[in-house]
Amino acid sequence: MRVRDLIFGLVAAGLLATYLVLGSQLYAAVGPSVAPTPTPSAPRSAQPAPRVPGTIAFAIQGDVYVMREGAYSHLTSEGRNQQPLLSADGRTLYFVRREQIDGQRSLQGQRVNARLGYSSIVTKASAGGTETKVLDGLRREDRAGGFHEVSWLLSPALSPDGRRLAFLEDDGDGAADLVILDLATRQRRPLSQGADLADLSWSPDGRTVAATSYNTGVAGILLWDAERSGAARRVEALPDGDAYRASYSPDGKWIVYALRRDGRNDLHAFELATRRDVALTSDGRSWGGVFSPDGKWIAFLREQGGTIDLWAMELADALGGGSPRPATRLTKGEGVDGQSRPSWSN
């Protein structure tokens, strides 16, 4: 009975985990309350956008888009894709694809037909081209009996050297555990057992993976040792509230994260060495922040009037005691996926 709604459109109200039976997996939905409103069709041609440095990947209505050089266009078209991830050089794209298969399950001692949901992790060039399935959520196909073994594979995060892929694996047993995959040897190494995690991010030195933890009553940020199973520490001294979706700065000194408090969601930056916390937004409807490769900008999600868009903000001297520059909206109200954090690379 474990399931996280796999990133359907609008962010749910409050900190919650939605438990369904089949066809989805437990995905912690955190963010502002958003009233459903009609959105334009997802764009199928290149769209002009304010120019920002580097390349940003994000999701609109179940497909992955890439923004570079003042325009954005779609890289997938199935309507079942989310959680994009760019390699450090911006050339390679990873993402999660939702899939289904007809099968059977046991219900109150009876065999019943069921539509089983799972997800796989896929990669392709960020400029387009052939897709390759890196990890398949259909672990075993039982063609005779229909009792397939499936998993939800979520939140892919590539190590800075591009050699290891961190991801979450949910087999429907009540846990979303952190696993490290060596891309060359295909060896898997689980770091957690029975955890309830989301939102992975590597430190720039490749030693640590940050994750949101939902094992306790209050959401928090755990820093996992990438070399030792079970070695994690909680980020302390954060402001009161639910802290989630942390992402490292390029120099590894800061994390940007979202803080949910009193029904409001805002972006904060936290200096790990000094425990200094800086509020970056105050509108109450901003989350999902990531640093630009040069550390001078933040890309994030913001909801206005029931529609989620991708925004960017130049930090200026915000981390040194000043104020950031006014944020700029990068998309045009097409309905950006509120549970797919953007990815920003060169």
Side-chain angles (χ1 to χ4, degrees), residues 2 4 26 152 169-177 193-197:
R2 165 137 178 101
R4 245 176 259 194
L26 181 62
W152 291 99
E169 186 165 22
D170 175 359
D171 295 338
D173 58 359
D177 279 311
Q193 184 175 3
D196 188 4
L197 305 175

Side-chain angles (χ1 to χ4, degrees), residues 80-268:
R80 297 183 285 113
N81 307 295
Q82 54 277 310
Q83 296 186 331
L85 163 71
L86 287 165
S87 60
D89 61 9
R91 296 179 180 178
T92 305
L93 174 72
Y94 294 81
F95 57 92
V96 171
R97 174 166 291 156
R98 187 177 67 253
E99 305 193 66
Q100 292 182 333
I101 188 171
D102 288 326
Q104 293 191 334
R105 68 183 184 97
S106 295
L107 180 64
Q108 298 178 346
Q110 302 290 323
R111 290 169 62 109
V112 298
N113 293 330
R115 189 76 168 159
L116 304 177
Y118 63 98
S119 64
S120 300
I121 297 176
V122 181
T123 187
K124 67 188 302 182
S126 66
T130 304
E131 295 182 353
T132 301
K133 190 175 288 188
V134 179
L135 290 166
D136 193 341
L138 180 58
R139 294 182 288 117
R140 187 180 71 89
E141 186 174 0
D142 179 7
R143 296 186 180 181
F147 281 90
H148 313 300
E149 294 180 6
V150 296
S151 295
W152 291 99
L153 307 176
L154 303 166
S155 194
L158 192 65
S159 63
D161 61 9
R163 297 178 179 179
R164 293 170 292 171
L165 186 73
F167 65 96
L168 298 175
E169 186 165 22
D170 175 359
D171 295 338
D173 58 359
D177 279 311
L178 172 56
V179 182
I180 304 290
L181 172 71
D182 187 303
L183 291 170
T185 65
R186 307 296 299 175
Q187 181 179 359
R188 297 189 187 200
R189 184 162 46 85
L191 294 189
S192 70
Q193 184 175 3
D196 188 4
L197 305 175
D199 315 321
L200 303 182
S201 175
W202 282 88
S203 63
D205 62 9
R207 297 178 179 178
T208 306
V209 179
T212 306
S213 172
Y214 296 100
N215 284 84
T216 60
V218 178
I221 297 166
L222 293 182
L223 304 182
W224 290 83
D225 187 325
E227 301 299 331
R228 294 192 297 145
S229 297
R233 61 183 176 90
R234 189 180 179 100
V235 178
E236 303 289 354
L238 296 176
D240 291 339
D242 297 324
Y244 64 99
R245 282 189 201 172
S247 184
Y248 279 93
S249 63
D251 61 10
K253 295 180 179 180
W254 294 81
I255 55 172
V256 61
Y257 69 99
L259 183 71
R260 179 174 178 82
R261 182 168 53 191
D262 299 328
R264 297 171 60 82
N265 293 259
D266 277 300
L267 291 173
H268 285 239

